[in-house]
Amino acid sequence: MAKLTMVQALNLALQQEMRNDDNVIVLGEDVGLDGGVFRVTEGLIQEFGEERVVDTPLAESGIVGMSIGMSLYGLKPVCEIQFSGFTYQNFHQIENHAARFRWRTQGRYTVPMVLRSPYGGGVRALEHHSESREAYWAHMPGIKMVIPSGPRNARALLVSAIRDPDPVIFFESKALYRAFREEVPEKEETLPLGKSQVVREGKDLTLIAYGAMMRPTLEAATELQEKLGVEAEVIDLLTVSPLDDTLFVKSVLKTGRAVVIHEAPRSFGAGAEIVSRLMEKSFYYLEAPIERVTGYDVVIPLYSREKEYLPNAHRITRAAKKVLAA
Amino acid sequence: MAKLTMVQALNLALQQEMRNDDNVIVLGEDVGLDGGVFRVTEGLIQEFGEERVVDTPLAESGIVGMSIGMSLYGLKPVCEIQFSGFTYQNFHQIENHAARFRWRTQGRYTVPMVLRSPYGGGVRALEHHSESREAYWAHMPGIKMVIPSGPRNARALLVSAIRDPDPVIFFESKALYRAFREEVPEKEETLPLGKSQVVREGKDLTLIAYGAMMRPTLEAATELQEKLGVEAEVIDLLTVSPLDDTLFVKSVLKTGRAVVIHEAPRSFGAGAEIVSRLMEKSFYYLEAPIERVTGYDVVIPLYSREKEYLPNAHRITRAAKKVLAA
Amino acid sequence: MPRKNINISDKIETLSILDEHGKLDEDLEPDIPEDELIKLLRGMLLGRKFDERMLNLQRQGRIGTFAPISGQEAAQIGAIALLRSSDWMVPAFRETAAEIWRGRSLESVIIYNSGYCEGAQIPENLNNLPISVPVGSQILHAVGLGWAMKYRKVDDVVMTIFGDGATSEGDFHEALNFAGVFQTPVIFVCQNNQWAISIPVHKQTRSKTLVQKALAYGLPGIQVDGNDVLAVYVAAQEAVARARAGGGPTLIECVTYRMTMHTTADDPTRYRSDEEVEMWRKRDPIERFQKYLLSRGTLSRDKLEGLEAEILTQIQTAIDQAEAEMTSLGDPVDMFDHSYEQMPAYLMEQKKAFLAELDESREEADNG
Amino acid sequence: MPRKNINISDKIETLSILDEHGKLDEDLEPDIPEDELIKLLRGMLLGRKFDERMLNLQRQGRIGTFAPISGQEAAQIGAIALLRSSDWMVPAFRETAAEIWRGRSLESVIIYNSGYCEGAQIPENLNNLPISVPVGSQILHAVGLGWAMKYRKVDDVVMTIFGDGATSEGDFHEALNFAGVFQTPVIFVCQNNQWAISIPVHKQTRSKTLVQKALAYGLPGIQVDGNDVLAVYVAAQEAVARARAGGGPTLIECVTYRMTMHTTADDPTRYRSDEEVEMWRKRDPIERFQKYLLSRGTLSRDKLEGLEAEILTQIQTAIDQAEAEMTSLGDPVDMFDHSYEQMPAYLMEQKKAFLAELDESREEADNG
Ligand SMILES: Cc1ncc(C[n+]2csc(CCOP(=O)(O)OP(=O)(O)O)c2C)c(N)n1
Ligand SMILES: Cc1ncc(C[n+]2csc(CCOP(=O)(O)OP(=O)(O)O)c2C)c(N)n1
Ligand SMILES: [Mg+2]
Ligand SMILES: [Mg+2]
């Protein structure tokens, strides 16, 4: 097994799926010779040619609208939108069409496309390059919104997303792209979409997060253990929507306490839905109000201040303590 | 005082604000001679001319992008997007720009525009004509998301929205446009944005809703009173975001029980944020889990089935009973 | 390079064969077999008669909002007739005549316009997309389909239809630009019916023609008299042949007219004059074509009457059948279907709750 | 109307005055005052030198990502020089030279590129919009500003700048179309620098020129040698005069070249050849202009050296001052400001919580 960064792991997933299935087409801005601005598609054009690795004109609605058309013909386009801050240019194509063709035609036509896009802060980028707006996509019936948290699950989830018969928005944390390596088996590995995972067991408190926030969350769990002897159970959603509430509900039924973490702005963010599910399914077991540790309700600041905007282990620990003290 | 429909009341607001302030410009598809497809802008072109009532080409991003430019020059554009199902075409202009110019320029430039758009189901319309996606806009820092519930508050809120120094997304329920009339004073009347209202007092239970859902909610409150002697307090949000949590929190501190109602899909909808605020600010007073009565997590069906999709008094009453029984 | 005019190499042409008085430009007369000519006429007549009947049904409250096509029969049928069944059609929302030509049943139109999603079901053997309501958005899907065909090395083509208003949308631009770059086999058929609801085409854009927009993408373009089915047919024939042979996309502008309202919810007297409508009535595409067919002996008065009667029966049968079908449609619980291939757990819970409520309400209704 | 070519009435021209060897087409030489010529040169030199220094700073880790302009000095300065201060500039993100010409301080550029929003502050007396990162999106703002000027009956104009890649975005299309319809006083300046990151312009669109896209909107268009500041100047002068006189918008395509990387995060050797870069280096807009100025006696070697030295000092002073300023910037609590005119209650709560946490961490840090 090779130790891969998330970029390399995603690249492996694309390469293998393209080898497996000539319906899989990669397209987007600079995905060809340039290998994508983060190099996730590196080397693909050399192996699969311009026919299957398609540099497009600079137009996001074009990329997504064309991907929808390709899907309707039976292909499996994996398009890249260079930064999630520019997925709004194609918002209508997803809302009005990708999400609805199956429903609209009662199953006759489907849109098995994947829209990959780097999301989130932490890489000292320009404006619009640090956005975290998964809640928009999570609220869209017909769409799956997936966010991996490390090289191995990124690879497995991307393979599943490509094979999935429905449209998947696949957000990749820029901060995780090269942050660490993991063993990623050469052999095919998939993870089911719409299933969360318990990544650390514990009985005192439940921490629920996804994507880039898994790292500070796990750090906080370790700190809680080491400094306070508190055993936090940690849940990685992996898929934000359709939201799998089984594991985190089960966990809170046991712990009675929870903290929800995301880097997106707090209000009307994904965390609110998690809190609401817990309200509905674990109310009588709750020992304390659930805390949210999130980005603030402002545009994520330019990079000199982004560290203070983004949730970190300290803020999570602090929230956990508050929940534990209640 | 004249008895006006919501369409007439909105028309009055536009007319008066245009008379008051020649910075106010109305623009959009078919807003001129046609008076808007719902006639909200009827008669304006006759009074103010083509200079101030501008029929645009068929391009939503164009309409909004141009409105932003007009705003930067100090005008106060009130643009109409013909149906909220077509606001996704201009999503990026709002996300990337309207919401951010104040922040981006540290207050130098502002975007005091209003985007009016009919939203919601219940009028037997075609696909894309019955959408309710206020949660997208509510999650956007820098944006105000306003939804009136009747002729009088629609007029007062629209006046405030036009005068507001920040961008406002103003959704008007098609189902309410001509559903009933209210006394609307000729004399100027405003309502503050970002403030909810208690529209019915009660001590047993809190019902929280907005827009078209106020009618079935109030019906349910009456039914609860008449059939069960239950006194429901009813809150009309009026502004979805920035969400005013003061009144509904205060109410639930008193009643200990709440039902949240909206017609948008349930998951990751606006209701989730309301539930989360109550979790954070009234947990220790809650007697029962808060219920959500909402649209389902599917595309709103074509009109033969939309009645069953939309929340009604019956469903609200049922949820209220459940909360009361707990 | 001093100051000089740039020579635009792509040709932008205009074509008319049968003028509004039914007079033929004999040099340009295409060689279309007689039975095909009659088929074209039938498609146009069916479009017109069905339209009239749907309007009727709408006024009687038997169907919902409906977008009539009257006036655009030549522009639709003349273009779509060039496709073979393995080709694809990507319509907007006012192409009922073309959809029917492509095999869509009248019943499905009635059922759809009565608010049933069942009416959007497309039989497996038809390569048609369903109607697309967001203006201009479907044009990109055509480009993607065309891309896929080229990738699969089949010689099928895609025809997409949209209105004059659609040319203002960003998606129109992105679609034609992508098609140019990737040389996809797509025929872009613009139905310039002069109006986008209340906006006349000269307020939609300042370019003198819509077809010249092809120059922005390095595409050939042809403007045709859209009320002249022969001209539309010839232009489409060329474009389809070019696309099929790997020659890439073409923009066709059909200059035509929406003779009635935008939809049944619209009142066109608010924004356009009777004179204008009258003027265009004289250019009726069906009358003109009938004159031509009568004059060349392909059609007789008798045959025409027979055709019309047959069409009216076909329509009545469809209405009866659709109305019968609809009595068994509309179970609301179906709204939960087809959101995803597999229903997510949470949606299943919602469906269950919905069914429970339904049962309960029925019980209450029974008891009350 | 039989088949015939459509005559497009709008003129699409191309213009070059000073060729790549510095040779002048004397018939076309514009009459620009000497001090204006020197000002143009200074603007271009400042652009180049500042660029080089910024790259340096970035490599030293003293600033963040930065988009260099080298090669585009003529295309930027030649166009923007035509604006008066009451006119408006709407840039994309690679117009630093133009922004500086329009009064933006070097300090603010450095501060912005160090991740401080304070660097985007625009003094009240400047009618410049801040940089716009989403490609093509700002073009519409220019049209709205122009609309407002026309409404207010002032004779100011707006100039908006964007790249070749931007012409593929739907917003480009919607903007030019709106400008045509409303005849707003907007000059659209396309910096065709041949590349959009790794995509060459011939993969961006199939149209042979970008300027011919003006035909889609009924606008006049002119393509100029964008490395020839005289040509750019003349084209902009005409377009500005037309717009100011109520004659509406113009599209100018400046054919130029991005001599270095897309941004400091980019490695152009992945997608383009050294030969290509070399070829364009020979067309350097500054060298060419200097030759011209030297040959006509407007400039001397001495004067040039003096100018360069002065510019280097100006840059160094700006860096020193920016770095000094930044020591007092960056209080994170500022992130809560300027979201709305009045901070909503809930945001106030978040700000309070933030401050409390900050205090606590500081205490912990003090104690730990
Ligand atoms: C994106 C979008 N914006 C607005 C509408 C509302 N609308 C429906 S049809 C129409 C006019 C369309 O005009 P045109 O493209 O010329 O087609 P026609 O109706 O004439 O067939 C408008 C504005 C829509 N359906 N989609
Ligand atoms: C809407 C959008 N999509 C993608 C990007 C990422 N991106 C930044 S610059 C750029 C290329 C721009 O090319 P061009 O318009 O030619 O301008 P240039 O960089 O050459 O100045 C891209 C793709 C973006 N900023 N905005
Ligand atoms: Mg039309
Ligand atoms: Mg470029």
Side-chain angles (χ1 to χ4, degrees):
Chain A
M1 273 209 287
K3 284 213 141 205
L4 303 184
T5 63
M6 193 193 275
V7 164
Q8 292 166 328
L10 291 163
N11 184 262
L12 178 67
L14 289 171
Q15 189 201 41
Q16 291 186 333
E17 284 308 286
M18 289 185 83
R19 284 183 184 165
N20 282 347
D21 182 356
D22 76 351
N23 284 311
V24 180
I25 306 291
V26 162
L27 70 159
E29 296 158 11
D30 308 293
V31 297
L33 270 190
D34 200 38
V37 294
F38 288 103
R39 309 285 176 253
V40 174
T41 57
E42 173 135 44
L44 297 180
I45 197 166
Q46 285 78 7
E47 178 169 352
F48 302 102
E50 288 194 8
E51 256 206 321
R52 295 184 60 197
V53 183
V54 185
D55 273 324
T56 66
L58 209 175
E60 290 74 17
S61 180
I63 293 167
V64 173
M66 181 157 115
S67 298
I68 292 171
M70 293 158 88
S71 299
L72 296 170
Y73 201 76
L75 301 185
K76 292 183 146 290
V78 183
C79 70
E80 172 173 313
I81 299 298
Q82 207 157 73
F83 289 89
S84 74
F86 310 127
T87 54
Y88 314 129
Q89 270 79 347
N90 57 252
F91 204 78
H92 60 293
Q93 282 291 346
I94 301 285
E95 230 297 347
N96 290 340
H97 291 300
R100 294 165 177 246
F101 257 104
R102 177 186 290 283
W103 162 80
R104 183 181 292 149
T105 63
Q106 303 291 294
R108 162 77 200 271
Y109 293 120
T110 59
V111 182
M113 66 177 280
V114 179
L115 185 161
R116 295 181 37 247
S117 198
Y119 91 102
V123 298
R124 298 169 56 90
L126 296 170
E127 195 195 340
H128 305 287
H129 289 67
S130 305
E131 314 298 302
S132 186
R133 294 283 197 281
E134 56 280 7
Y136 296 152
W137 310 100
H139 186 47
M140 220 176 260
I143 291 298
K144 296 183 178 175
M145 171 27 24
V146 173
I147 308 188
S149 61
R152 187 159 180 174
N153 62 35
R155 186 279 198 104
L157 286 166
L158 184 53
V159 171
S160 299
I162 293 171
R163 297 182 187 177
D164 197 87
D166 286 303
V168 177
I169 309 290
F170 194 91
F171 274 8
E172 303 163 1
S173 159
K174 289 180 288 292
L176 296 183
Y177 265 155
R178 297 191 160 76
F180 61 102
R181 290 169 182 272
E182 271 177 355
E183 306 275 350
V184 177
E186 177 72 17
K187 209 173 131 274
E188 170 179 317
E189 203 174 52
T190 63
L191 269 175
L193 305 190
K195 295 271 174 248
S196 59
Q197 280 184 347
V198 177
V199 292
R200 180 182 171 124
E201 294 197 6
K203 57 174 186 22
D204 300 326
L205 165 82
T206 307
L207 305 178
I208 307 162
Y210 53 90
M213 288 298 108
M214 289 313 299
R215 300 195 81 197
T217 300
L218 285 165
E219 248 182 77
T222 308
E223 200 183 310
L224 286 166
Q225 170 81 60
E226 287 173 359
K227 293 217 179 133
L228 304 173
V230 167
E231 289 175 31
E233 183 143 300
V234 179
I235 311 258
D236 185 349
L237 288 185
L238 297 174
T239 297
V240 178
S241 174
L243 179 61
D244 173 17
D245 56 26
T246 53
L247 294 187
F248 69 71
V249 166
K250 196 172 149 207
S251 177
V252 174
L253 292 183
K254 172 174 73 180
T255 62
R257 299 170 200 272
V259 178
V260 179
I261 302 106
H262 59 64
E263 64 180 286
R266 171 171 324 204
S267 291
F268 305 91
E273 182 60 29
I274 298 166
V275 171
S276 299
R277 297 284 177 97
L278 287 169
M279 168 71 80
E280 286 156 4
K281 300 186 168 185
S282 73
F283 178 75
Y284 295 106
Y285 297 77
L286 285 178
E287 306 280 349
I290 297 162
E291 284 280 316
R292 289 185 285 176
V293 178
T294 67
Y296 301 102
D297 285 340
V298 299
V299 177
I300 182 171
L302 300 188
Y303 73 75
S304 71
R305 292 173 172 93
E306 73 172 332
K307 210 162 63 71
E308 285 83 5
Y309 176 89
L310 294 169
N312 55 28
H314 182 75
R315 278 178 64 198
I316 299 166
T317 311
R318 197 169 174 273
K321 285 187 202 160
K322 196 171 153 201
V323 170
L324 288 163
Chain B
M1 273 209 286
K3 282 213 146 208
L4 303 184
T5 63
M6 194 195 273
V7 164
Q8 292 167 327
L10 291 164
N11 184 263
L12 178 68
L14 289 171
Q15 189 200 42
Q16 291 186 334
E17 283 307 287
M18 289 185 83
R19 283 182 185 166
N20 280 347
D21 182 356
D22 76 353
N23 284 312
V24 179
I25 307 291
V26 162
L27 70 157
E29 296 158 12
D30 308 294
V31 297
L33 269 190
D34 200 39
V37 293
F38 288 103
R39 309 285 177 254
V40 174
T41 57
E42 173 134 43
L44 298 179
I45 197 165
Q46 284 79 7
E47 178 169 352
F48 302 102
E50 288 194 8
E51 256 205 321
R52 294 184 61 197
V53 183
V54 185
D55 273 323
T56 65
L58 208 176
E60 289 74 16
S61 180
I63 293 167
V64 172
M66 180 156 116
S67 298
I68 292 170
M70 293 157 88
S71 299
L72 296 170
Y73 201 76
L75 302 184
K76 291 182 147 290
V78 184
C79 70
E80 173 174 312
I81 299 297
Q82 208 158 74
F83 289 88
S84 74
F86 310 126
T87 54
Y88 315 129
Q89 269 79 348
N90 57 252
F91 204 78
H92 61 291
Q93 282 290 347
I94 301 285
E95 229 298 345
N96 291 340
H97 291 301
R100 294 165 177 247
F101 257 105
R102 177 186 291 282
W103 162 78
R104 184 181 292 148
T105 64
Q106 303 291 294
R108 162 76 199 272
Y109 293 120
T110 58
V111 182
M113 67 177 279
V114 180
L115 184 163
R116 294 181 37 247
S117 198
Y119 92 102
V123 299
R124 298 169 56 89
L126 296 171
E127 196 195 338
H128 305 288
H129 289 68
S130 304
E131 315 297 302
S132 184
R133 294 283 198 280
E134 58 279 7
Y136 294 153
W137 311 100
H139 186 48
M140 221 176 260
I143 291 298
K144 296 182 178 174
M145 162 51 359
V146 174
I147 307 188
S149 60
R152 187 162 180 172
N153 62 33
R155 187 279 198 104
L157 286 167
L158 183 53
V159 170
S160 298
I162 294 170
R163 295 181 188 177
D164 196 87
D166 286 303
V168 178
I169 308 290
F170 194 90
F171 273 8
E172 304 163 1
S173 159
K174 288 180 289 293
L176 295 182
Y177 265 156
R178 296 189 161 78
F180 62 102
R181 289 168 183 274
E182 273 178 354
E183 305 275 350
V184 178
E186 177 72 18
K187 210 174 131 274
E188 171 179 314
E189 202 173 51
T190 62
L191 269 175
L193 305 190
K195 294 271 174 249
S196 58
Q197 280 185 348
V198 177
V199 292
R200 178 181 174 126
E201 294 197 7
K203 59 174 184 20
D204 300 325
L205 165 82
T206 307
L207 304 178
I208 307 162
Y210 53 90
M213 288 297 110
M214 290 312 299
R215 299 195 81 198
T217 300
L218 285 165
E219 247 182 81
T222 308
E223 199 182 312
L224 286 166
Q225 170 79 62
E226 288 174 359
K227 294 214 180 139
L228 303 173
V230 167
E231 289 176 30
E233 183 143 300
V234 179
I235 311 257
D236 185 349
L237 288 185
L238 297 173
T239 298
V240 178
S241 174
L243 179 62
D244 174 17
D245 58 26
T246 54
L247 293 188
F248 70 72
V249 166
K250 196 171 149 209
S251 178
V252 173
L253 292 183
K254 174 174 71 180
T255 63
R257 300 172 200 271
V259 179
V260 179
I261 302 105
H262 58 64
E263 64 180 286
R266 171 173 321 204
S267 291
F268 306 92
E273 182 60 29
I274 298 166
V275 170
S276 299
R277 297 284 177 96
L278 287 170
M279 168 71 80
E280 286 156 5
K281 298 186 170 187
S282 72
F283 177 76
Y284 295 106
Y285 296 78
L286 285 178
E287 307 281 349
I290 297 163
E291 284 280 316
R292 289 185 285 176
V293 178
T294 67
Y296 301 102
D297 285 340
V298 299
V299 176
I300 181 170
L302 299 188
Y303 72 76
S304 70
R305 293 173 171 92
E306 74 173 332
K307 212 163 63 72
E308 284 83 5
Y309 177 89
L310 294 169
N312 55 28
H314 182 74
R315 278 177 65 196
I316 299 167
T317 311
R318 196 168 175 275
K321 284 186 201 160
K322 194 170 156 202
V323 170
L324 288 163
Chain C
M1 48 167 188
R3 175 180 308 218
K4 56 172 193 261
N5 286 344
I6 291 182
N7 236 320
I8 310 288
S9 53
D10 296 293
K11 265 204 295 195
I12 299 295
E13 297 176 320
T14 170
L15 174 66
S16 157
I17 299 175
L18 203 57
D19 79 5
E20 62 180 281
H21 311 294
K23 216 180 121 252
L24 181 75
D25 185 330
E26 288 177 15
D27 293 345
L28 296 175
E29 186 179 14
D31 187 22
I32 305 177
E34 297 235 318
D35 57 341
E36 174 84 354
L37 287 171
I38 294 294
K39 231 184 117 196
L40 292 173
L41 178 66
R42 195 185 190 288
M44 290 166 66
L45 273 175
L46 177 56
R48 175 72 55 91
K49 298 291 173 201
F50 186 54
D51 224 44
E52 289 169 357
R53 196 59 207 281
M54 287 290 278
L55 234 103
N56 226 257
L57 293 180
Q58 197 280 336
R59 293 311 185 214
Q60 296 168 355
R62 286 158 72 186
I63 63 167
T65 310
F66 171 70
I69 63 123
S70 284
Q72 302 180 214
E73 294 86 354
Q76 292 187 16
I77 298 294
I80 210 69
L82 273 303
L83 295 193
R84 60 190 190 198
S85 66
S86 56
D87 294 330
W88 283 64
M89 172 177 75
V90 179
F93 49 83
R94 197 190 298 286
E95 282 75 55
T96 317
E99 289 186 276
I100 294 170
W101 179 279
R102 288 282 297 174
R104 182 171 181 194
S105 72
L106 304 185
E107 291 86 329
S108 76
V109 180
I110 298 165
I111 292 171
Y112 184 77
N113 282 280
S114 301
Y116 294 99
C117 54
E118 288 85 348
Q121 257 164 346
I122 292 163
E124 284 289 338
N125 61 321
L126 301 183
N127 290 324
N128 305 339
L129 291 196
I131 73 158
S132 177
V133 173
V135 170
S137 59
Q138 79 282 6
I139 312 178
L140 280 163
H141 308 161
V143 177
L145 282 165
W147 193 96
M149 290 169 184
K150 202 176 161 189
Y151 175 66
R152 286 295 174 213
K153 299 193 173 32
V154 297
D155 66 349
D156 295 324
V157 305
V158 193
M159 184 177 282
T160 180
I161 313 184
F162 49 86
D164 42 298
T167 64
S168 295
E169 286 283 358
D171 279 358
F172 164 84
H173 173 75
E174 301 190 12
L176 270 73
N177 194 45
F178 273 55
V181 168
F182 297 118
Q183 288 290 289
T184 52
V186 182
I187 299 95
F188 298 100
V189 179
C190 178
Q191 302 268 315
N192 176 1
N193 65 4
Q194 311 303 321
W195 293 91
I197 309 188
S198 72
I199 309 301
V201 68
H202 67 86
K203 284 192 170 183
Q204 198 65 249
T205 184
R206 195 166 187 266
S207 74
K208 296 232 177 65
T209 66
L210 297 179
V211 67
Q212 75 195 66
K213 292 177 189 282
L215 297 173
Y217 315 105
L219 304 189
I222 181 163
Q223 182 191 59
V224 298
D225 179 345
N227 286 6
D228 169 4
V229 68
L230 298 182
V232 178
Y233 191 93
V234 168
Q237 194 166 41
E238 276 180 24
V240 167
R242 176 163 43 237
R244 214 182 285 298
T250 303
L251 173 61
I252 301 177
E253 175 189 357
C254 300
V255 179
T256 180
Y257 196 69
R258 191 192 82 213
M259 278 172 30
T260 60
M261 64 285 286
H262 168 71
T263 67
T264 46
D266 176 49
D267 172 11
T269 65
R270 293 178 73 92
Y271 51 78
R272 67 186 190 183
S273 68
D274 291 347
E275 294 81 67
E276 181 187 301
V277 180
E278 228 9 81
M279 185 183 76
W280 278 95
R281 239 175 237 299
K282 296 202 186 106
R283 300 181 187 159
D284 188 309
I286 296 184
E287 278 175 29
R288 188 188 306 192
F289 190 41
Q290 283 176 356
K291 263 189 212 162
Y292 166 70
L293 294 178
L294 287 166
S295 79
R296 83 202 286 282
T298 309
L299 187 69
S300 66
R301 285 276 157 215
D302 270 5
K303 203 162 156 186
L304 179 59
E305 272 170 33
L307 205 56
E308 285 183 346
E310 185 206 306
I311 283 171
L312 290 180
T313 312
Q314 180 187 353
I315 293 172
Q316 188 56 49
T317 312
I319 295 172
D320 295 343
Q321 194 171 323
E323 292 191 335
E325 262 182 60
M326 283 191 283
T327 59
S328 66
L329 294 183
D331 187 343
V333 76
D334 296 349
M335 77 169 108
F336 292 96
D337 297 344
H338 300 298
S339 232
Y340 300 91
E341 190 187 62
Q342 289 194 13
M343 193 178 289
Y346 193 58
L347 203 50
M348 219 117 72
E349 289 172 26
Q350 292 183 17
K351 184 174 171 177
K352 256 192 226 152
F354 176 80
L355 284 172
E357 274 182 42
L358 213 62
D359 280 352
E360 208 177 283
S361 325
R362 280 179 192 150
E363 254 168 57
E364 273 174 38
D366 287 350
N367 300 342
Chain D
M1 46 168 187
R3 177 181 302 220
K4 54 173 196 259
N5 285 343
I6 291 181
N7 236 320
I8 309 288
S9 53
D10 297 294
K11 264 202 298 194
I12 299 296
E13 297 176 320
T14 169
L15 175 66
S16 157
I17 298 175
L18 203 56
D19 80 5
E20 62 180 281
H21 311 293
K23 215 180 124 248
L24 181 75
D25 184 329
E26 286 177 16
D27 292 346
L28 296 175
E29 185 178 16
D31 186 23
I32 306 177
E34 298 236 318
D35 57 341
E36 174 83 351
L37 288 171
I38 294 294
K39 231 183 117 196
L40 292 174
L41 177 67
R42 194 185 191 286
M44 291 166 66
L45 274 174
L46 178 55
R48 175 73 55 92
K49 298 289 173 203
F50 186 53
D51 223 43
E52 290 169 356
R53 196 59 205 281
M54 286 291 275
L55 235 103
N56 227 257
L57 293 180
Q58 196 279 335
R59 293 311 184 214
Q60 297 167 356
R62 285 158 73 187
I63 62 168
T65 311
F66 171 70
I69 63 123
S70 284
Q72 302 180 214
E73 295 85 353
Q76 292 187 15
I77 298 294
I80 210 69
L82 273 300
L83 295 192
R84 60 190 191 199
S85 66
S86 56
D87 294 329
W88 284 64
M89 172 177 74
V90 179
F93 50 83
R94 195 190 299 287
E95 283 75 54
T96 318
E99 288 187 278
I100 294 170
W101 178 279
R102 288 281 297 175
R104 182 171 182 195
S105 72
L106 304 185
E107 291 85 331
S108 76
V109 181
I110 298 164
I111 290 170
Y112 183 76
N113 282 280
S114 302
Y116 293 99
C117 53
E118 288 85 347
Q121 257 163 347
I122 293 163
E124 286 289 339
N125 61 323
L126 300 184
N127 291 324
N128 304 340
L129 292 196
I131 73 158
S132 177
V133 172
V135 170
S137 60
Q138 78 283 4
I139 311 178
L140 280 163
H141 309 160
V143 177
L145 283 164
W147 192 98
M149 288 169 184
K150 202 175 161 190
Y151 175 68
R152 285 292 174 217
K153 299 191 170 39
V154 298
D155 66 349
D156 294 325
V157 304
V158 193
M159 183 176 284
T160 181
I161 312 184
F162 49 87
D164 43 300
T167 64
S168 295
E169 286 282 1
D171 279 359
F172 163 84
H173 173 74
E174 300 190 12
L176 270 73
N177 193 45
F178 273 56
V181 168
F182 298 119
Q183 288 292 291
T184 52
V186 181
I187 299 95
F188 299 98
V189 179
C190 178
Q191 302 269 315
N192 176 1
N193 65 4
Q194 311 303 320
W195 292 91
I197 310 187
S198 73
I199 308 300
V201 68
H202 67 87
K203 284 192 171 183
Q204 199 64 248
T205 184
R206 195 167 187 262
S207 74
K208 297 233 178 63
T209 66
L210 297 179
V211 69
Q212 74 195 67
K213 292 177 189 283
L215 297 173
Y217 316 105
L219 305 188
I222 182 165
Q223 182 191 59
V224 298
D225 178 344
N227 286 6
D228 169 2
V229 68
L230 299 182
V232 178
Y233 190 93
V234 167
Q237 195 165 42
E238 276 180 24
V240 167
R242 175 162 45 235
R244 214 182 285 299
T250 304
L251 173 62
I252 301 176
E253 175 188 358
C254 301
V255 179
T256 180
Y257 196 69
R258 191 193 82 212
M259 278 172 32
T260 58
M261 64 285 286
H262 169 71
T263 67
T264 46
D266 175 50
D267 171 13
T269 64
R270 294 177 71 92
Y271 52 78
R272 67 186 192 184
S273 68
D274 291 348
E275 294 81 67
E276 181 187 301
V277 180
E278 228 8 82
M279 184 183 78
W280 279 94
R281 238 175 237 299
K282 295 200 187 109
R283 301 180 185 160
D284 188 310
I286 296 184
E287 278 176 28
R288 187 188 305 193
F289 190 41
Q290 284 176 356
K291 264 189 213 163
Y292 166 70
L293 294 178
L294 288 166
S295 77
R296 82 201 286 283
T298 309
L299 187 68
S300 65
R301 285 276 159 216
D302 272 6
K303 202 163 156 187
L304 179 57
E305 274 169 31
L307 206 54
E308 287 182 344
E310 187 205 307
I311 283 171
L312 291 180
T313 314
Q314 180 187 354
I315 292 171
Q316 188 56 50
T317 312
I319 295 171
D320 295 343
Q321 194 170 325
E323 292 191 335
E325 261 182 61
M326 284 191 282
T327 59
S328 65
L329 294 182
D331 187 340
V333 77
D334 296 349
M335 77 169 104
F336 292 97
D337 296 345
H338 300 298
S339 231
Y340 300 91
E341 190 187 63
Q342 288 193 16
M343 193 178 290
Y346 193 57
L347 203 49
M348 219 115 73
E349 289 172 25
Q350 292 183 17
K351 183 174 172 175
K352 257 193 221 149
F354 176 81
L355 284 172
E357 275 182 40
L358 213 63
D359 280 352
E360 208 177 281
S361 330
R362 278 178 193 149
E363 252 168 58
E364 272 174 39
D366 287 352
N367 300 345

